[in-house]
Amino acid sequence: MKENQNRIARLAAERVLPDSEFCALWQTMDPEDEELLYARAREACQRVYGREVYLRGLIEFSSWCKNDCYYCGLRAGNRRAQRYRLTTEQILDCCDEGYRLDFRTFVLQSGEDPYFTDERICGIVSSIRQNHPDCAITLSIGEKSRESYQAYFDAGADRYLLRHETADPLHYRSLHPAELSCENRKRCLFDLKEIGYQVGCGVMVGSPGQTVRHLLADLHFMEELKPHMIGIGPFIPHRDTPFHDRPAGTLTDTLHLLGILRLMFPEALLPATTALGTIHPLGREKGILAGANVVMPNLSPAAVRGKYLLYDGKICTGEEAAQCHGCMEARIRRIGYEVVVSRGDWHS
């Protein structure tokens, strides 16, 4: 529809839309509008990053978590979850293997596991920094104090991923137990930004109770935070959580939001997530064609991959690191993009 084409053109030119215009665009896009949105998103991405796609080596080092978030398969209340912790030596071995495979960013992700104290995390980070000084180190280990974040940064961490999940306090409360708050999650993100990290936030698309007004709140929050990375993916239910019977988020909505985010934040690093690949066999390729420029193959040992299940049906749980890397590189090449050997830093 012509109105939506005008809205997309305005978003591409001004990086913002009035709330009423965003709602209208979100609720009335047709296939022709989608193609225009994705084409503009690709143009915006290529002006900053060309056709380069950055690989991040994901190391899921602990499936223990003290929190009881209602959507997550690792929640403390899930007695069926398979728990494990990698040793420091195993984590360093994953990094060594990743380096041989030309990864230059390592993403260390876990539940909020009290076993991994600040001293342990700092030791791991400093060892990676010593072994691979030309690589970026990203942490994704949840809510911490500002002092903890500073210690990790001083040890050598460069980036931190912390999805805010929703910027609306009431919606946040519906997804999390009472001891967790939207305000503290936002505090963490601003602390990380002030310390000097490249910071990533993000949301689940189609999370239970999410409305277009919640998405607007998310966009306004991101405009305030100005993140370097934005990680979004569809909500996918896990059978052992309170949301086991809720519908999953859709591929279409996730791609729409990716395209919109690329136009709003042309310099941002946007992953085409594993969750996208889980809900559609070409989901990650479609994500790149909608404006994403990062993928995160798994470097975790194959023996533990099937135990780190945030949601049901997760792909690539049985593959070795080299298989994940080779498969993803070939997929990206087929859609006309190029995997580069690079830290893949944010471009200002």
Side-chain angles (χ1 to χ4, degrees), residues 295-328:
V295 290
M296 298 172 64
N298 205 320
L299 289 177
S300 306
V304 303
R305 287 194 197 175
K307 300 177 182 179
Y308 197 90
L309 296 179
L310 308 179
Y311 50 81
D312 285 343
K314 182 180 175 186
I315 57 173
C316 302
T317 56
E319 296 179 352
E320 298 292 345
Q323 289 176 282
C324 276
H325 178 279
C327 173
M328 203 64 251

Side-chain angles (χ1 to χ4, degrees), residues 152-173:
Y152 309 153
F153 188 79
D154 293 342
D158 304 279
R159 306 175 186 147
Y160 204 101
L161 306 179
L162 183 65
R163 284 191 178 183
H164 66 281
E165 303 301 1
T166 174
D168 181 273
L170 290 178
H171 189 216
Y172 194 94
R173 198 174 303 161

Side-chain angles (χ1 to χ4, degrees), residues 104-119:
R104 294 298 181 265
T105 290
F106 304 120
V107 181
L108 273 59
Q109 184 178 77
S110 72
E112 291 195 24
D113 182 354
Y115 171 83
F116 283 97
T117 60
D118 289 353
E119 182 179 4

Side-chain angles (χ1 to χ4, degrees), residues 224-297:
E224 181 184 5
L225 178 66
K226 295 179 174 59
H228 307 94
M229 303 167 282
I230 305 172
I232 70 165
F235 164 73
I236 303 175
H238 188 289
R239 62 186 176 277
D240 296 321
T241 69
F243 293 147
H244 65 92
D245 57 350
R246 302 297 179 91
T250 67
L251 176 73
T252 298
D253 283 350
T254 307
L255 296 178
H256 286 177
L257 190 57
L258 268 174
I260 288 166
L261 287 170
R262 175 56 70 196
L263 294 182
M264 291 182 65
F265 303 95
E267 298 86 6
L269 294 156
L270 299 181
T273 62
T274 301
L276 258 181
T278 297
I279 64 169
H280 190 283
L282 297 176
R284 287 172 293 185
E285 291 93 324
K286 289 178 178 290
I288 292 168
L289 293 173
N293 65 331
V294 171
V295 290
M296 298 172 64

Side-chain angles (χ1 to χ4, degrees), residues 23 38 40 48 79 82 108 192 225 236 266 280 283 289 321 330 339:
C23 291
Y38 303 152
R40 289 298 183 94
V48 181
R79 304 305 176 197
Q82 299 182 66
L108 273 59
L192 289 159
L225 178 66
I236 303 175
H280 190 283
L289 293 173
V339 169

Side-chain angles (χ1 to χ4, degrees), residues 51-52 54 75 147 150 204 211 226 237 259 323:
R51 288 180 171 266
E52 294 184 351
Y54 304 122
R75 63 195 306 262
E147 292 73 22
Q150 185 69 58
M204 294 179 293
T211 68
K226 295 179 174 59
Q323 289 176 282

Side-chain angles (χ1 to χ4, degrees), residues 16-24 26-27 164 166-168 203 210-223 257 260 264:
V16 68
L17 276 180
D19 288 0
S20 60
E21 294 290 285
F22 172 82
C23 291
W26 184 262
Q27 293 168 335
H164 66 281
T166 174
D168 181 273
V203 302
Q210 187 183 70
T211 68
V212 65
R213 292 293 171 185
H214 295 139
L215 292 175
L216 272 173
D218 293 322
L219 295 178
H220 290 318
F221 170 67
M222 287 187 250
E223 286 177 310
L257 190 57
I260 288 166
M264 291 182 65

